[in-house]
Amino acid sequence: MNIILDLLLLLITIIYSYLESLVKFFIPRKRKSVAGEIVLITGAGHGIGRLTAYEFAKQKSRLVLWDINKRGVEETAAECRKLGVTAQAFVVDCSNREEIYRCVDQIKKEVGDVSIVVNNAGTIYPADLLSTKDDEITKTFEVNILGHFWITKALLPPMMKRNHGHIVTVASVCGHEVIPYLIPYCSSKFAAVGFHRALTAELKALGKTGIKTSCLCPVFVNTGFTKNPSTRIWPVLETDEVVRSLIDGILTNKKMIFVPSGISFYLTLLKFLPERAIAALQHIQDIQFEAVVGHKTKMK
């Protein structure tokens, strides 16, 4: 009898959820204030991280900026200060656990407890598997996912104590669909998406509903990491377009942020297509970028 009631409740929940989503589609979500919040952004020396810092500065947040590039992160901090906010720059290697922990301790003493973290730092080595060096594979996982673990573990206790915070995972559409010649990158981004989903579920199980989570999953972004990317279906995105979607998602507590938003329908469609149809669709996409194949740089 209990199982029947549970199934009936599940059906009601599904119907309610769809109706709620339909209503939210037409009614703009309420945007929260992040003024005065201490925001840590990794990979803030360029690209998505830099523009995200500018947007948080416009929201009057207090900024803590990390990057391995000293000049880049200091330039970002200087521009943020021109917008009238405090911004501190730190040179941090997000593949180094001890360095992460040491810098978080320093921030707690000098700035305070971080309430929003944007795990944005990432790296990519476009190549076939046999042309990818062992240390490149290791570095990809250390930066793209293990760094998320160390940073989140270090920052989470004060958030848990106050039941307040926001943890943002910058992943990729490659965390949902694979692309040849990006095996380590795709694998690390699948792990990042899994990290976001598992963390979200665990915080809910612990009753810490005041700590929000978001995961950014864009298609190719014109940041210079991948040379000459192109596809016949999806556009190569500009950084400012991605950051606008990211900030909007954070301020409305959106859990999964796809850019462009239509990619979510495409990914859902893939789950129902037979393997041959998926292969045909991938052929139509004609994804290309420069990659090392057989130790030579080619367009793939």
Side-chain angles (χ1 to χ4, degrees):
M1 188 65 180
N2 287 338
I3 187 69
I4 295 175
L5 290 175
D6 286 342
L7 289 172
L8 181 60
L9 181 60
L10 173 62
L11 178 61
I12 294 172
T13 302
I14 291 172
I15 295 172
Y16 176 81
S17 297
Y18 274 112
L19 290 174
E20 183 183 39
S21 297
L22 183 63
V23 170
K24 287 181 177 179
F25 182 79
F26 293 102
I27 300 176
R29 295 186 179 188
K30 183 179 179 181
R31 295 162 69 91
K32 67 184 179 183
S33 171
V34 292
E37 301 277 5
I38 300 177
V39 182
L40 168 61
I41 303 170
T42 67
H46 65 286
I48 291 174
R50 170 171 283 181
L51 294 192
T52 300
Y54 294 165
E55 291 301 317
F56 271 110
K58 294 174 186 176
Q59 297 291 327
K60 303 306 177 184
S61 301
R62 299 165 61 192
L63 297 172
V64 176
L65 308 176
W66 285 10
D67 202 285
I68 199 169
N69 184 317
K70 185 176 189 293
R71 179 178 177 181
V73 73
E74 288 181 347
E75 288 176 353
T76 302
E79 289 299 317
C80 290
R81 293 187 195 108
K82 290 179 182 178
L83 294 171
V85 299
T86 60
Q88 293 182 252
F90 296 85
V91 178
V92 182
D93 180 357
C94 287
S95 69
N96 188 315
R97 180 176 56 189
E98 288 73 23
E99 195 169 318
I100 288 169
Y101 287 165
R102 184 168 58 251
C103 193
V104 168
D105 286 340
Q106 182 181 352
I107 291 165
K108 288 179 179 179
K109 294 175 183 177
E110 297 179 2
V111 184
D113 291 326
V114 171
S115 53
I116 300 174
V117 57
V118 181
N119 282 313
N120 166 70
T123 190
I124 185 171
Y125 300 95
D128 69 282
L129 181 59
L130 296 181
S131 299
T132 308
K133 299 174 183 178
D134 291 354
D135 61 342
E136 291 174 340
I137 295 172
T138 301
K139 179 66 74 173
T140 299
F141 278 86
E142 286 176 340
V143 176
N144 292 3
I145 181 58
L146 290 178
H148 291 217
F149 277 87
W150 315 141
I151 293 167
T152 303
K153 282 192 69 179
L155 297 176
L156 193 55
M159 294 187 194
M160 296 277 282
K161 186 176 181 179
R162 295 187 296 147
N163 192 24
H164 174 77
H166 203 134
I167 300 167
V168 182
T169 302
V170 176
S172 166
V173 71
C174 291
H176 301 268
E177 183 192 11
V178 296
I179 298 177
Y181 311 110
L182 292 176
I183 291 178
Y185 182 78
C186 289
S187 301
S188 68
K189 292 303 181 179
F190 264 84
V193 171
F195 172 81
H196 158 75
R197 287 176 172 165
L199 178 63
T200 302
E202 185 166 296
L203 289 171
K204 183 178 180 181
L206 292 170
K208 300 299 181 180
T209 55
I211 304 175
K212 308 302 181 181
T213 58
S214 297
C215 184
L216 175 68
C217 296
V219 294
F220 281 117
V221 185
N222 187 22
T223 59
F225 276 134
T226 306
K227 303 296 183 183
N228 300 315
S230 67
T231 170
R232 288 199 288 183
I233 295 182
W234 305 110
V236 175
L237 302 170
E238 293 301 323
T239 308
D240 58 346
E241 178 183 357
V242 176
V243 171
R244 281 197 301 270
S245 295
L246 173 60
I247 293 296
D248 181 70
I250 293 171
L251 297 182
T252 57
N253 294 324
K254 191 173 183 180
K255 285 186 170 58
M256 192 64 71
I257 307 166
F258 289 107
V259 190
S261 57
I263 199 75
S264 60
F265 173 77
Y266 168 78
L267 294 170
T268 301
L269 179 64
L270 289 181
K271 296 178 182 179
F272 297 96
L273 290 178
E275 188 174 338
R276 186 175 297 175
I278 293 174
L281 184 56
Q282 290 173 338
H283 175 73
I284 292 172
Q285 286 191 87
D286 190 27
I287 297 173
Q288 295 192 28
F289 52 90
E290 287 188 17
V292 176
V293 181
H295 305 292
K296 296 180 180 179
T297 301
K298 299 180 181 180
M299 284 295 293
K300 288 296 175 184

